[in-house]
């Protein structure tokens, strides 16, 4: 078979040959004169780069530590954080720095993907259950009657709501095709958000590594009832106090008849006196 392509003219072939010959000559010349002097990534050079990276990391860590130490000591000197309890060990300065942010400070929440998917499964089961009961109800059933139906009990156990537990299994689809399309779209949107979240929608953390360590220390001390965190009545300072002392002071105020009085009809609830 004859080819439809016409051969390249001799003049164009000669021009292309000269062009690429010049490029090859240029690269060979660079290999001899310039590239040969470039440092190769030998193990020694890689070790130097690694040491330099570690040195920069340590420098940033030291700067962060000095900044947190300065903020913590300033909070203690100004009285914005007052320690009134002995926990048996030195209170970390990073914990003081976290308390200096105020009791209204909220760390960046972590998204639990498994919990989010289980919540979506539970929501879809509730929607399917409500749709099924709506389709199977009698024509005389009103919307108010459907609103009183228990949607927490998504599994067909027949138990009362107080004894039933949440059912996270996948329920059969609804007979209403529009309901199925809505639930499928909800689940697909959630999956897309969870996939893109760690890359694009992830909020920056408002606590660094040292402050997170201080927050965990505070949580551990509170869990073991070694300290309690309260706000001062005047000034808004953050106080670290003994939990036993706090309970005792609270009980003394409740027992004071000038501050509280028993509820009516012998109720145990106390009514504050204004």
């Amino acid at each position: 078979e004859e080819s439809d392509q016409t051969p390249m003219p001799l003049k164009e072939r000669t021009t292309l040959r000269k062009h690429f010959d010049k490029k090859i000559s240029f690269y060979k010349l660079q290999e001899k004169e310039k590239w040969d002097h470039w440092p190769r990534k030998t193990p020694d050079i890689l070790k130097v780069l690694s040491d330099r990276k570690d040195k920069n990391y340590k420098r940033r860590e030291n700067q962060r530590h000095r900044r947190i130490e300065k903020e913590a000591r300033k909070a203690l000197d100004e009285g914005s954080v007052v320690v009134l309890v002995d926990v048996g060990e030195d209170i970390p300065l990073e914990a003081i720095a976290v308390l200096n942010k105020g009791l209204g400070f909220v760390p960046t929440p972590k998204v639990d993907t498994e919990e989010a998917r289980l919540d979506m499964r539970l929501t879809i089961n509730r929607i399917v259950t409500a749709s099924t009961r709506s389709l199977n109800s009698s024509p005389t059933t009103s919307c108010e009657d459907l609103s009183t139906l228990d949607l927490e009990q998504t599994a067909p156990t027949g138990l009362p709501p107080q004894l039933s537990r949440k059912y996270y299994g996948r329920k059969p689809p609804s007979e209403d095709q529009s309901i199925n399309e809505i639930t499928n779209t909800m689940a697909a949107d959630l999956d897309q958000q969870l996939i893109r979240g760690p890359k694009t929608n992830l909020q920056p953390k408002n606590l660094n590594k040292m402050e997170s360590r201080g927050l965990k220390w505070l949580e551990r001390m509170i869990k073991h009832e070694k300290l309690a965190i309260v706000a001062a009545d005047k000034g808004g300072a953050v106080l670290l106090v003994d939990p036993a002392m706090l309970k005792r002071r609270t009980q003394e105020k409740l027992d004071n008849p000038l501050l509280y009085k028993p509820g009516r009809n012998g109720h145990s609830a106390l009514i504050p006196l204004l």
Side-chain angles (χ1 to χ4, degrees):
E1 298 180 359
E2 296 182 359
S3 175
D4 297 335
Q5 298 180 355
T6 58
M8 183 179 296
L10 178 60
K11 184 177 180 180
E12 295 182 3
R13 285 184 292 172
T14 305
T15 304
L16 287 176
R17 187 182 298 110
K18 291 181 180 180
H19 170 73
F20 285 109
D21 287 342
K22 289 181 179 180
K23 291 190 70 172
I24 293 174
S25 301
F26 171 77
Y27 289 138
K28 289 181 178 179
L29 182 64
Q30 297 298 316
E31 180 69 28
K32 293 180 180 179
E33 296 183 356
K34 185 177 180 180
W35 293 340
D36 187 54
H37 301 287
W38 285 11
R40 309 296 180 182
K41 290 186 178 181
T42 59
D44 295 337
I45 294 179
L46 292 177
K47 185 177 183 302
V48 171
L49 295 176
S50 177
D51 295 341
R52 186 181 304 169
K53 182 178 179 181
D54 294 340
K55 185 177 180 181
N56 295 335
Y57 174 77
K58 291 179 181 179
R59 183 185 298 112
R60 291 193 298 269
E61 284 292 317
N62 292 333
Q63 292 176 355
R64 188 180 298 113
H65 179 74
R66 288 194 297 268
R67 179 175 59 82
I68 291 179
E69 181 179 358
K70 182 179 179 180
E71 293 177 356
R73 296 193 182 281
K74 182 179 179 181
L76 293 174
D77 295 339
E78 294 180 352
S80 57
V81 178
V82 181
V83 180
L84 302 175
V85 61
D86 183 12
V87 296
E89 59 180 285
D90 294 336
I91 299 178
L93 294 178
E94 47 264 30
I96 301 297
V98 173
L99 293 174
N100 190 36
K101 297 180 181 295
L103 298 181
F105 175 79
V106 179
T108 303
K110 295 182 179 180
V111 179
D112 190 347
T113 57
E114 295 298 330
E115 184 178 358
R117 287 192 171 94
L118 289 176
D119 291 341
M120 178 57 68
R121 177 70 63 79
L122 182 61
T123 302
I124 291 176
N125 287 345
R126 290 175 177 175
I127 295 174
V128 172
T129 300
S131 174
T132 303
R133 291 178 177 178
S134 177
L135 294 175
N136 296 335
S137 61
S138 60
T140 58
T141 303
S142 61
C143 296
E144 296 181 356
D145 296 334
L146 290 175
S147 62
T148 58
L149 293 175
D150 174 44
L151 300 182
E152 289 287 341
Q153 185 181 344
T154 56
T157 57
L159 296 175
Q162 294 79 6
L163 300 179
S164 63
R165 61 187 181 90
K166 296 180 180 179
Y167 177 70
Y168 292 100
R170 190 182 299 275
K171 291 181 64 66
S174 174
E175 298 178 1
D176 191 347
Q177 189 61 26
S178 60
I179 296 296
N180 296 331
E181 294 178 358
I182 292 174
T183 54
N184 293 336
T185 303
M186 292 170 56
D189 292 344
L190 177 64
D191 290 337
Q192 291 296 328
Q193 292 178 4
L194 295 178
I195 292 174
R196 294 195 304 264
K199 298 180 180 179
T200 58
N201 297 334
L202 184 62
Q203 298 180 359
K205 295 182 179 180
N206 51 10
L207 289 179
N208 55 40
K209 185 185 298 184
M210 297 182 63
E211 292 172 341
S212 299
R213 187 164 59 245
L215 180 61
K216 291 181 180 179
W217 184 88
L218 290 172
E219 292 175 349
R220 185 172 66 255
M221 291 294 106
I222 294 174
K223 180 179 179 180
H224 295 163
E225 295 185 354
K226 292 187 176 182
L227 61 83
I229 302 174
V230 296
D233 296 337
K234 296 181 180 180
V238 179
L239 307 179
L240 298 180
V241 299
D242 186 7
M245 185 270 292
L246 181 63
K247 293 179 181 179
R248 185 172 63 255
R249 293 289 182 85
T250 303
Q251 189 63 38
E252 290 177 358
K253 290 184 178 181
L254 293 176
D255 295 338
N256 189 350
L258 299 178
L259 298 178
Y260 294 91
K261 67 177 182 178
R264 298 177 181 177
N265 299 328
H267 293 170
S268 59
L270 297 177
I271 301 176
L273 299 177
L274 299 179

